[in-house]
C-alpha cells in the first residue's frame, strides 16, 4: 500500500503531497487567497478539504475579520469549490470529517467556536460557543483550535490554546450533538479533560487504542512537543506521555495507528515521523512553513 502525506505549506501557500514511497513531492493546489491551516482527506469521495484562516487585519487586531473559508478540491487540484465563506466564519483552524453521517467539523479560533456543516457546505451550525464579544476574542483562553471526533461514542474533542507560551491551554470533550433544549452557549455536557498545558494545537483521537494525541507549540520544557494520553469513560486523561520535544512551533498532526506512527509538522517546515512505541523521531523533509497534515493511502 502506497502512502503519502498531504501538507499545507503557508510559504508559499499550497497543498503539497509528500509520498512515503519512491516518488517526488508535488504541488496539488496553489492557494492564493489566505493562509491555510487545517486539512482532511475524505477516503469516500477522494476529496481534500481545508481551512483558510483569512488575512491578518494588523498586528494588534490579528485575524479579526470574518474572512475565513472552508474549501475543497480533488487530488489533481480540480473540482475546486469554496464551501463556506462570505463572512460566515472568522479563523477556521483544524478540520476533520464524518463521511458516514455527512459532516465536516472545525474550530474557529477568533470566532471562539466549534462548528460543523454538511459536506456540501450547507447547514452551517455552531456546536460550542465560548465567547462573543470583542473582549472575549482577545482572550486566548477562549480560542478554539484543534478538533477530533470519536464517532463510535459520539464525542467531539477540541483544544483551547490560551495565550502564547502562557501555560493556560486546555482540552475539552462534549457530545457530538447539542443536548435537546440547550444551545451552543449554554450546553451542560462539556467536560474539561486537562488544563495548564503550554499551548495545545492539533488534536487526534485514535480509535484503536482510545488514546488522544496532540501537538503543543508552547514554551519548553513541555511545549513544542507531541503528547498522548488515555481517555477514561468518565472523561479523565490518564498516562500523559510527552513523546517528543524540540518542534519549531509545532502545528499539524496525523496518526497512522496501524503502523504505530505519527507525523508532525511545524512552522520551521519540518515534517517528522515519530515511532509511537519508542518515541524515536526522524525528519522526513523540510519545506516552507507548514501547518496542516493528513495521511493519504491509495486504497
Amino acid at each position: 500500500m502506497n502512502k503519502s502525506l498531504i501538507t499545507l505549506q503557508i510559504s508559499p501557500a499550497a497543498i503539497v503531497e509528500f509520498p512515503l514511497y519512491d516518488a517526488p513531492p508535488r504541488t496539488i493546489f496553489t492557494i492564493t487567497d489566505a493562509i491555510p491551516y487545517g486539512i482532511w482527506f475524505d477516503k469516500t469521495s477522494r476529496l481534500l478539504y481545508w481551512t483558510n484562516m483569512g488575512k491578518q487585519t494588523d498586528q494588534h487586531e490579528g485575524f479579526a475579520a470574518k474572512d475565513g473559508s472552508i474549501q475543497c478540491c480533488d487530488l489533481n487540484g480540480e473540482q475546486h469549490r469554496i464551501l463556506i465563506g462570505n463572512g460566515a466564519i472568522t479563523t477556521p483552524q483544524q478540520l476533520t470529517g464524518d463521511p458516514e453521517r455527512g459532516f465536516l467539523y472545525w474550530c474557529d479560533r477568533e470566532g471562539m467556536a466549534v462548528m460543523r456543516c454538511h459536506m456540501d457546505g450547507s447547514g452551517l451550525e455552531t456546536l460550542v460557543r465560548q465567547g462573543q464579544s470583542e473582549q472575549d476574542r482577545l482572550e486566548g483562553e477562549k480560542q478554539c483550535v484543534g478538533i477530533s471526533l470519536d464517532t463510535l461514542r459520539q464525542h467531539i474533542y477540541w483544544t483551547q490554546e490560551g495565550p502564547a507560551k502562557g501555560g493556560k491551554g486546555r482540552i475539552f470533550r462534549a457530545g457530538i450533538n447539542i443536548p435537546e433544549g440547550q444551545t451552543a452557549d449554554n450546553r451542560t455536557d462539556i467536560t474539561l479533560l486537562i488544563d495548564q498545558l503550554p499551548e495545545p494545537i492539533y488534536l487526534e483521537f485514535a480509535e484503536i487504542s482510545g488514546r488522544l494525541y496532540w501537538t503543543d507549540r508552547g514554551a519548553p520544557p513541555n511545549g513544542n512537543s507531541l503528547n498522548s494520553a488515555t481517555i477514561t469513560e468518565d472523561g479523565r486523561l490518564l498516562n500523559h506521555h510527552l513523546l517528543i520535544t524540540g518542534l519549531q512551533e509545532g502545528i499539524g498532526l496525523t496518526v497512522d495507528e496501524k503502523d504505530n506512527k505519527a507525523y508532525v509538522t511545524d512552522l520551521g517546515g519540518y515534517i517528522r515521523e515519530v515511532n509511537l512505541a519508542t518515541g524515536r523521531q526522524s525528519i522526513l523533509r523540510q519545506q516552507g512553513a507548514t501547518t496542516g497534515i493528513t495521511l493519504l493511502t491509495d486504497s
Side-chain angles (χ1 to χ4, degrees):
M1 178 189 299
N2 289 329
K3 299 178 181 180
S4 294
L5 299 173
I6 308 295
T7 65
L8 286 178
Q9 181 177 265
I10 65 174
S11 180
I15 303 175
V16 179
E17 178 182 8
F18 174 59
L20 296 174
Y21 54 94
D22 188 19
R26 70 181 181 104
T27 296
I28 293 175
F29 188 83
T30 299
I31 297 169
T32 60
D33 51 353
I35 299 173
Y37 197 90
I39 190 164
W40 174 73
F41 174 62
D42 179 10
K43 297 178 182 178
T44 304
S45 67
R46 307 294 290 179
L47 291 176
L48 292 165
Y49 294 84
W50 75 93
T51 63
N52 278 351
M53 293 172 58
K55 298 178 181 179
Q56 189 170 14
T57 309
D58 57 45
Q59 190 171 8
H60 173 69
E61 291 292 329
F63 292 83
K66 297 190 73 170
D67 59 353
S69 62
I70 310 293
Q71 306 190 24
C72 72
C73 71
D74 64 21
L75 293 170
N76 294 315
E78 300 174 351
Q79 300 185 56
H80 173 236
R81 289 177 290 156
I82 298 176
L83 303 176
I84 300 288
N86 299 317
I89 51 179
T90 308
T91 322
Q93 301 281 283
Q94 189 179 1
L95 173 79
T96 191
D98 180 1
E100 183 176 342
R101 296 171 179 84
F103 286 105
L104 298 170
Y105 293 80
W106 66 91
C107 282
D108 186 335
R109 190 178 67 191
E110 271 78 3
M112 300 161 288
V114 178
M115 307 182 77
R116 73 179 175 191
C117 70
H118 297 297
M119 298 182 76
D120 63 359
S122 65
L124 180 62
E125 180 182 7
T126 298
L127 299 175
V128 177
R129 184 180 288 109
Q130 299 289 49
Q132 295 192 61
S133 69
E134 179 64 16
Q135 182 58 43
D136 289 339
R137 186 183 66 79
L138 297 175
E139 296 180 21
E141 292 93 330
K142 296 180 179 180
Q143 295 181 350
C144 306
V145 178
I147 191 167
S148 191
L149 305 175
D150 177 355
T151 56
L152 179 63
R153 297 173 183 83
Q154 291 287 281
H155 287 147
I156 188 168
Y157 301 90
W158 72 94
T159 65
Q160 292 178 205
E161 63 177 323
K165 319 297 187 220
K168 295 183 178 181
R170 295 174 290 174
I171 300 176
F172 294 87
R173 182 177 80 179
I176 211 163
N177 297 307
I178 299 175
E180 187 175 354
Q182 299 181 23
T183 71
D185 300 280
N186 65 17
R187 59 187 299 173
T188 59
D189 64 332
I190 296 175
T191 300
L192 173 63
L193 298 179
I194 189 171
D195 61 2
Q196 298 183 335
L197 296 174
E199 196 180 347
I201 305 294
Y202 250 62
L203 195 63
E204 183 156 343
F205 174 73
E207 293 184 355
I208 296 174
S209 66
R211 294 187 69 79
L212 195 65
Y213 295 85
W214 68 92
T215 54
D216 198 305
R217 63 179 293 191
N222 295 326
N224 270 307
S225 58
L226 173 63
N227 301 260
S228 76
T230 302
I231 306 174
T232 65
E233 288 293 332
D234 60 350
R236 291 175 295 139
L237 287 187
L238 302 179
N239 303 316
H240 176 192
H241 292 294
L242 196 66
L243 296 173
I244 65 167
T245 58
L247 302 178
Q248 294 190 22
E249 301 298 322
I251 302 288
L253 166 67
T254 187
V255 176
D256 185 356
E257 198 172 19
K258 292 181 180 178
D259 204 21
N260 212 27
K261 293 177 180 177
Y263 300 92
V264 183
T265 66
D266 62 32
L267 295 185
Y270 290 101
I271 302 173
R272 290 175 167 86
E273 178 185 270
V274 182
N275 185 305
L276 295 177
T278 66
R280 184 173 180 176
Q281 62 171 303
S282 58
I283 295 174
L284 301 179
R285 170 177 166 81
Q286 186 180 20
Q287 56 185 27
T290 303
T291 51
I293 186 171
T294 191
L295 184 67
L296 169 67
T297 63
D298 59 6
S299 63

